[in-house]
Amino acid sequence: MTIDDAPRDALLRGGPRELLRWVASGAAVSRADLSRLSGLSPSTVSQRVEALINQGLLEETGAGRSRGGRRPRQLAVPTGGAVVGAIDLGAHHARIGTLDLSGRVVQARTLPVSIEDGPEVVLGALLSEVAALAAAPEVIGAASAAGALRGIGIGIPGPVQHTTGRIVSPSRMPGWNGFDVAAFCADRVEVPVIVDNDANLMALGAHRTAHPELDHAVYIKAGTGIGSGVISGGRLHRGAQGSAGDISHCRVVADPAPPCTCGNAGCLEAVASGAALVTALRDQGVPVSDLTGVIRLIDDGDRQATALARQAGRAIGEILAVVVNFFNPQVVAIGGRLADCEPLLASVRATLYERCLPLATQTLLIERVTTGQDVGIMGAAHLVIDHVVAAS
């Protein structure tokens, strides 16, 4: 089954999603707190809180301190008995986990995968692993195994038509083109499943964790490939078909222009991705097998690897400069394995300041994504939580 975006009123100030977020963060512990933060009437807040309680998304935990009058009933996000599952799929590894309804990671692990094995083999195995995590005694608590899992979010390292859950012309995923991930999962699990691009999930996870107060942000995922996710008006922006933020096949000036897996030449991914750095070093006679080896060379101060990292950073910065001038975000954050490559990050930052309008960079934050390896599964979980809240 597919999941559409949560209705906008669920995410606006005082909407169910924000009420849940305030309680989960500790900003509010009572209905009175929620009324004060949202500006809504006590009766409206009470109605929305009761709906969240009935859905098992909030619970009352006892009486709080009185400020004159009856002691308020305290609210909390349940810490046991209900979780969402999450899968952040990569070319060679997948991060899977269960998270509670506040978006906190309960359990997580990294599993080796081979994307070339095809969608049925890869997704079938990962769904079984998530189900096993959700059925663990420490997750279920007093709930039944069948009732613990409320939904599953899946991140795919390729273009995803969000409304259908279908993969469209992925560059590095042989056998996955046109595959209906949502339909495949619906035949194997009895909970809602949401499918999205992995960069979008990274963007949502990083934004909800680090900068929920900001309305406009661009998050770059730089690893074996390159992708980005866009936050606009505080929400994940996908565009008409789900391809918003896909900078990987924007053309950069390069001579000679290396061929790209999409069939064109000189694409950003063909010039500045981790896979491109591996290829470039091999062409220069440096024996390196994967991105881990490239990063090791850069950390050791290898001249050729460092120079290529700086070139890659400039290429990424040139494309991002167009994005920043056009979109005017409040933050640009770099995630993925290349985010820890200081020469690359420094080149991105320098190019942005050089190529962007002063007004666009006057207060612009340019930083690393600091959420860690769980950022993708956190984003996947938040998409599922938003859907569950919208249905309450």
Side-chain angles (χ1 to χ4, degrees):
M1 78 187 281
T2 60
I3 299 177
D4 294 329
D5 286 336
R8 184 165 177 79
D9 59 0
L11 301 172
L12 289 174
R13 190 167 186 81
R17 180 64 184 85
E18 189 163 35
L19 297 184
L20 181 63
R21 181 172 64 82
W22 279 328
V23 175
S25 67
V29 296
S30 68
R31 290 170 174 80
D33 291 339
L34 293 173
S35 181
R36 173 177 52 81
L37 289 169
S38 66
L40 297 174
S41 68
S43 60
T44 299
V45 168
S46 182
Q47 183 181 37
R48 294 181 179 180
V49 166
E50 289 301 323
L52 291 171
I53 290 175
N54 291 336
Q55 286 289 315
L57 304 175
L58 285 179
E59 64 181 5
E60 293 179 331
T61 59
R65 178 179 299 177
S66 173
R67 297 180 180 176
R70 190 169 57 182
R71 297 170 67 189
R73 288 173 291 176
Q74 289 189 303
L75 300 170
V77 175
T79 56
V83 295
V84 295
I87 299 171
D88 185 17
L89 177 62
H92 305 292
H93 297 87
R95 187 72 173 169
I96 68 168
T98 53
L99 298 90
D100 65 23
L101 297 178
S102 69
R104 181 185 65 86
V105 176
V106 177
Q107 293 188 93
R109 65 181 61 164
T110 299
L111 302 173
V113 300
S114 178
I115 206 78
E116 292 85 1
D117 289 342
E120 293 92 347
V121 172
V122 172
L123 292 174
L126 293 177
L127 287 172
S128 297
E129 292 287 346
V130 169
L133 285 182
E138 59 268 31
V139 172
I140 297 173
S144 67
L149 189 62
R150 302 293 293 270
I152 300 174
I154 303 176
I156 301 291
V160 175
Q161 189 176 46
H162 176 70
T163 55
T164 65
R166 192 179 294 274
I167 301 173
V168 182
S169 300
S171 297
R172 302 177 184 275
M173 303 174 67
W176 290 71
N177 182 39
F179 189 76
D180 193 336
V181 177
F184 175 83
C185 295
D187 290 338
R188 287 158 179 79
V189 297
E190 297 180 355
V191 295
V193 173
I194 186 169
V195 186
D196 211 330
N197 173 261
D198 61 342
N200 280 345
L201 298 188
M202 186 198 76
L204 187 61
H207 184 256
R208 291 279 176 88
T209 304
H211 293 296
E213 76 286 357
L214 300 183
D215 289 329
H216 310 295
V218 175
Y219 293 90
I220 311 302
K221 186 171 185 178
T224 301
I226 292 181
S228 75
V230 178
I231 301 293
S232 179
R235 304 181 69 201
L236 185 61
H237 176 69
R238 297 187 180 88
Q241 294 293 326
S243 67
D246 191 346
I247 62 172
S248 57
H249 299 291
C250 293
R251 184 178 175 87
V252 296
V253 177
D255 186 24
C260 183
T261 53
C262 71
N264 290 317
C267 296
L268 180 64
E269 186 164 295
V271 173
S273 67
L277 295 179
V278 171
T279 299
L281 282 169
R282 287 175 177 171
D283 290 344
Q284 294 180 17
V286 179
V288 62
S289 59
D290 54 22
L291 182 54
T292 299
V294 174
I295 294 174
R296 185 180 302 115
L297 287 172
I298 295 169
D299 289 342
D300 289 342
D302 180 85
R303 177 180 57 83
Q304 291 166 287
T306 301
L308 286 171
R310 288 179 177 142
Q311 293 174 16
R314 283 194 292 272
I316 295 171
E318 288 174 1
I319 298 300
L320 283 182
V322 177
V323 175
V324 169
N325 280 329
F326 180 79
F327 180 54
N328 190 202
Q330 296 157 295
V331 60
V332 170
I334 315 295
R337 297 185 66 195
L338 286 176
D340 292 328
C341 177
E342 186 56 41
L344 183 144
L345 194 63
S347 289
V348 171
R349 184 178 287 110
T351 304
L352 284 175
Y353 283 125
E354 176 187 345
R355 298 294 183 89
C356 292
L357 296 170
L359 182 60
T361 57
Q362 190 174 55
T363 60
L364 178 67
L365 298 173
I366 306 172
E367 61 188 28
R368 289 185 178 90
V369 172
T370 58
T371 312
Q373 64 179 339
D374 289 334
V375 64
I377 62 172
M378 292 168 70
H382 278 294
L383 285 182
V384 177
I385 294 168
D386 287 349
H387 171 74
V388 173
V389 171
S392 64

